[in-house]
Amino acid sequence: MATIQNNPSSEPNKFTPAPKPQKSRTTMLGVIIAVLTIALVVLGISFMNRGTENAQLSTELVEMEQFKAQAEKQYYESLAELEEMRGSNEELNALIDQQKEELRLQNEKITSLTRDSRNLAAARRELAELKENTTGYLAELEELRVANAELSEQNEQLSTERDMLSNDLQVSQQTNEQLNSERAVLVSEREELANRNSMLNQKVNVASVLKTNNITAEGQKQRNSGRWVGRNNAKNVERLYVCFNSLDNAVATPGEETFQMRIVNPNGETLSIEAEGSGVLTTSEGEQVPYTKNVPFNFQGDAANHCAEWNVPGQEFLEGVYTVELYNKGSLVGTTEMELK
C-alpha cells in the first residue's frame, strides 16, 4: 500500500505573500511627502512675505528717522534765520517773537505726525509749509527792516534840518519877542472890544427875541365834512392844534422868523418824528432840547397870530396832561398845557 506524504511545496499559494499591502505603504509614503512639500512651500511663502513686510517696515522707519532729523534741522535753522533779523526796533522784534511762536506750533504738529510712519506724507507737507512760511516771514521782516532803515535816514535828515531851523529860530526870537509884546497889547485891546461886542450882541439878541401870548392847545377830530372840531377824549383825537400870538418887536430885524414848538406827552416824552420836521434846538443856556416842529412866518415888526398842527396819520395819543412850549432864538417864549381824558 502506497504512503501519501504531505509536501508543503505541493500546495501552491498557501504561503505566498500578497503584493497588495506593499503597494498601500508606498502610496501612503507618497501622500506624506506631498503634504510635507506643500507645507514647506506655504511656510517658505510666509517667510518671504514676512521678510518683505519687515523690509518695508524697516525702510519706512529709516525714512521716518531721516525725516525727523531733516524736520528738526529745518526748524532750528528757521529759528536761527529769524533771530538774525532781530535788532533794536521793538516792532520788528515783536513780529519775530510772533513768527517764532507760529513756527513752534507748526513744529509741534509735525512732531505729532511723525509718531506714526503712516503720517509721513502729511508730515512732509507740513514741513514744506513750514519752509514756505519761513521764507514769507523773512521777506516780511526784510521789508520792515528796509522801511525802518529808510525811516531812520529820514529822521536823521529831519534832525539836521531841525538844527538848521533852530539856529534860524534863535536869530528871529528876539524880533518875535518884540512883536509878541506889541501883539499882546493889541490882543488885550481886541479882547476887551470883543467882550463889549459880545455883551452888546447878547443884549440885542435878547431884545430881538419875539415874545408870545394867548397860547391855546386842544385835541381835534376831523368830521366827514372836513371840518375839524375840538375833542378831549384821547381815543377820538386825530391831531393836536396850537394857536398863539407873537408880539411886536422894534429891535428884531424884519424877515423870515421861526418859532420852535415842543409838545411833551404825559410820559414826559417830546412828540418828535424827524420825517415830520422834528429836530433839536440849542437854548440860550447851551442846553440841547428836542422840538416837535418849526412854525415859520414872515415877521414885519407887528404882532401876528399863528397856528400849527401835529397831525401824524395813525398816531395814538395818551391820556393825561400835555405841555406845549414855544421857543424863539433859543429862548423859551411861551408855554401852556392841555389834558386828554
Side-chain angles (χ1 to χ4, degrees), residues 54-70:
N54 290 338
Q56 181 179 356
L57 180 60
S58 177
T59 300
E60 291 178 353
L61 290 175
V62 170
E63 289 182 358
M64 183 60 78
E65 290 302 320
Q66 291 176 346
F67 174 78
K68 286 181 180 179
Q70 179 186 1

Side-chain angles (χ1 to χ4, degrees), residues 317-332:
F317 294 96
L318 302 175
E319 296 180 2
V321 176
Y322 288 74
T323 300
V324 178
E325 297 175 349
L326 295 172
Y327 291 83
N328 180 252
K329 298 182 179 65
S331 296
L332 178 64

